Amino acid sequence: MQHLFLGINAHINLDLGIAASETMLGKDLAGIKGDFNKINSVLAELLDGVKANISTVSPIFGWLIPLAKGRDEMLLNFSIQVARDGAWKYAGEYHLDPHKDFQVRERDTNISKLAKKLINPGKFLAFIVKIVAFAEWKSVSRTMEQLDIVAEKNAKQPSN
């Protein structure tokens, strides 16, 4: 889960704003705002599947989901929404700034600080992470095999 959040952090908080701006190079960025915002709904719909897939390689995580009583989804959706709002704001700043290299370096520095907080989440969350990690497979190859099985199973399921 921690790795998932680190990937989301890098993607949403840094890459997404740049990608949105580059997509609209020479055009008004507002032209994609509606589509940009629709993605939030798509991401919210994917959360159950993501949690089920993580539970495949992290059994304790699967046991903790019912204990959260839906608060986990509220937190994830809120976090993603806040991050995407920040990405849109950054896209606007990046889009208008002629010094794009400086923009990227400054943003990367700030996002790196957030990543360090995700890596070192504080005593309580660090304790929870250790408990979850205790039951996870330590073998990367076994984890990758399980993820391959999940991916194959998901590929065979008909989409709605």
Side-chain angles (χ1 to χ4, degrees), residues 81-130:
Q81 180 65 51
V82 168
R84 288 182 58 82
D85 287 350
W88 181 257
K89 182 178 182 281
Y90 175 63
E93 294 166 1
Y94 178 86
H95 200 66
L96 297 174
D97 194 332
H99 307 289
K100 296 199 184 324
D101 289 343
F102 174 77
Q103 275 280 343
V104 172
R105 278 194 308 274
E106 182 179 11
R107 183 74 173 187
D108 187 48
T109 298
N110 293 331
I111 299 312
S112 294
K113 289 176 186 173
L114 179 57
K116 287 176 183 162
K117 290 179 184 176
L118 290 169
I119 292 168
N120 301 303
K123 290 181 182 180
F124 177 71
L125 285 178
F127 176 72
I128 298 294
V129 167
K130 284 182 184 179

Side-chain angles (χ1 to χ4, degrees), residues 36-94:
F36 188 94
N37 288 334
K38 285 179 189 173
I39 297 298
N40 294 335
S41 301
V42 172
L43 291 172
E45 291 175 16
L46 296 174
L47 283 180
D48 284 337
V50 169
K51 289 189 302 186
N53 292 341
I54 291 172
S55 297
T56 301
V57 294
S58 182
I60 288 182
F61 179 81
W63 298 337
L64 291 173
I65 291 172
L67 297 175
K69 297 180 182 171
R71 290 186 294 260
D72 58 325
E73 283 191 33
M74 288 177 6
L75 178 62
L76 283 169
N77 281 326
F78 175 77
S79 298
I80 290 171
Q81 180 65 51
V82 168
R84 288 182 58 82
D85 287 350
W88 181 257
K89 182 178 182 281
Y90 175 63
E93 294 166 1
Y94 178 86

Side-chain angles (χ1 to χ4, degrees), residues 24 27-34 88:
M24 298 303 285
K27 301 174 189 164
D28 184 6
L29 185 62
I32 62 167
K33 186 166 173 93
W88 181 257

